Amino acid sequence: MTIEKLGVIGAGAMGNGIAQVAAVAGLDVVMIDVTDAALAKGISTLTASLGRLVEKEKLAPAARDVALARIETSMDYRRLAAVDIVVEAATENLDVKVSILKQIESVARRDAIIASNTSSISITALGAAIAEPSRFIGMHFFNPVPLMPLVEIIRGLQTSAATAEAVRELTVRLDKSPIGVTNSPGFVVNRILVPMINEAFFVLAEGVATAEEIDAGMKLGASHPIGPLALADLIGLDVCLSVMNVFLSDFGDSKYRACPLLRELVAAGRLGRKTGWGVYRYA
């Protein structure tokens, strides 16, 4: 299957990033969200991102303009009727994602691939929510999408080999590096990464070191490019908490309990960079 037109649900950090890399790679894109304001913010973000690539001479100004022209925005799911693949990039909530997948299925072509950018929710469970789960797959990008090279391709129990191969080929076309993953909570990267972040919150809560010292320790002692607490702020503390809750529920192992400090910060609305305050304050 040749993929030339891509739909993406969600104009947030992940959605607009996926739209950007697809448009730069030469695909036509339809980006869907629930409000004009969300769509405008998504376009503004990806326009600024493309501008930075032009400033760094990694993208020609003409190529930027062509990429932007390839992106259509809409609140109408019916605009997905002509796309070859739809990538759902909505909030990390099972009920929300199931509702969106059903809406996608009601308008998409029967041969169109439906993918989810979920970071932790079972691809098998999500696929079971639609009538043709053989065309459903996980396509997990990493934040920030334009810069991070990895995409986890997750096959659910029902995913067909043809669907997986088409998505692998698309991933390469997007100038990303795919890894194949068996469906399991958190897949590969978040299964390892998010519990480490959670442990950093326990270390902070116990007063073992300050946030700055914890992050410096992991950068200098483990060669991480960013400390775990700063990374949590970048990911979103609410996302980290959601992933830990999925792990605890699906594995039934108390080692995946979320740190009370993480829960407290989320309850306070301190979600990280997107709210201007998480572990750290941001301008």
Side-chain angles (χ1 to χ4, degrees):
M1 176 182 183
T2 301
I3 296 174
E4 296 296 340
K5 190 164 187 175
L6 177 144
V8 60
I9 307 298
M14 300 305 294
N16 72 62
I18 294 167
Q20 176 182 325
V21 298
V24 169
L27 279 73
D28 292 324
V29 178
V30 180
M31 185 166 66
I32 304 286
D33 212 314
V34 294
T35 67
D36 282 328
L39 291 167
K41 183 177 180 181
I43 289 293
S44 175
T45 299
L46 72 85
T47 300
S49 176
L50 290 169
R52 288 190 292 273
L53 293 177
V54 171
E55 290 172 5
K56 295 175 181 177
E57 298 184 343
K58 294 183 178 180
L59 187 71
R64 172 199 58 199
D65 296 342
V66 169
L68 285 170
R70 289 193 180 110
I71 301 171
E72 171 192 347
T73 62
S74 180
M75 293 185 288
D76 187 354
Y77 274 71
R78 289 174 296 182
R79 300 302 300 166
L80 300 172
V83 305
D84 303 307
I85 182 171
V86 184
V87 182
E88 171 273 314
T91 187
E92 196 72 356
N93 177 283
L94 176 63
D95 292 338
V96 170
K97 288 184 181 295
V98 166
S99 175
I100 289 170
L101 293 176
K102 288 181 180 297
Q103 291 183 74
I104 293 170
E105 188 177 42
S106 72
V107 296
R109 299 195 325 259
R110 291 193 64 180
D111 64 337
I113 293 170
I114 302 175
S116 176
N117 183 57
T118 180
S119 57
S120 63
I121 298 172
S122 168
I123 296 302
T124 297
L126 288 172
I130 65 175
E132 296 181 48
S134 64
R135 63 169 169 163
F136 183 73
I137 196 165
M139 194 177 187
H140 181 213
F141 293 82
F142 289 78
N143 189 26
V145 176
L147 301 181
M148 298 295 283
L150 179 67
V151 177
E152 291 179 319
I153 298 176
I154 309 104
R155 288 180 64 170
L157 187 64
Q158 316 95 319
T159 306
S160 71
T163 296
E165 178 58 21
V167 169
R168 188 199 67 80
E169 291 176 359
L170 172 63
T171 302
V172 172
R173 182 175 173 186
L174 298 181
D175 198 27
K176 301 296 181 186
S177 299
I179 60 171
V181 179
T182 300
N183 185 59
S184 180
F187 318 127
V188 171
V189 175
N190 281 336
R191 171 80 175 272
I192 298 166
L193 177 65
V194 180
M196 181 199 73
I197 290 173
N198 190 56
E199 195 63 25
F201 277 98
F202 273 113
V203 172
L204 179 63
E206 292 164 13
V208 176
T210 66
E212 292 81 1
E213 289 166 335
I214 292 166
D215 281 350
M218 292 305 293
K219 289 166 67 178
L220 299 174
S223 294
H224 290 192
I226 183 173
L229 297 172
L231 180 58
D233 276 354
L234 178 63
I235 294 170
L237 271 59
D238 55 333
V239 176
C240 294
L241 176 58
S242 175
V243 172
M244 290 303 298
N245 287 339
V246 168
F247 288 171
L248 183 62
S249 173
D250 288 5
F251 287 117
D253 190 329
S254 62
K255 74 179 182 180
Y256 294 113
R257 71 204 184 285
C259 177
L261 175 59
L262 175 59
R263 293 188 180 279
E264 190 77 355
L265 292 173
V266 172
R270 288 171 53 178
L271 307 183
R273 287 182 177 271
K274 60 188 172 185
T275 59
W277 194 12
V279 177
Y280 301 101
R281 278 191 180 273
Y282 301 89

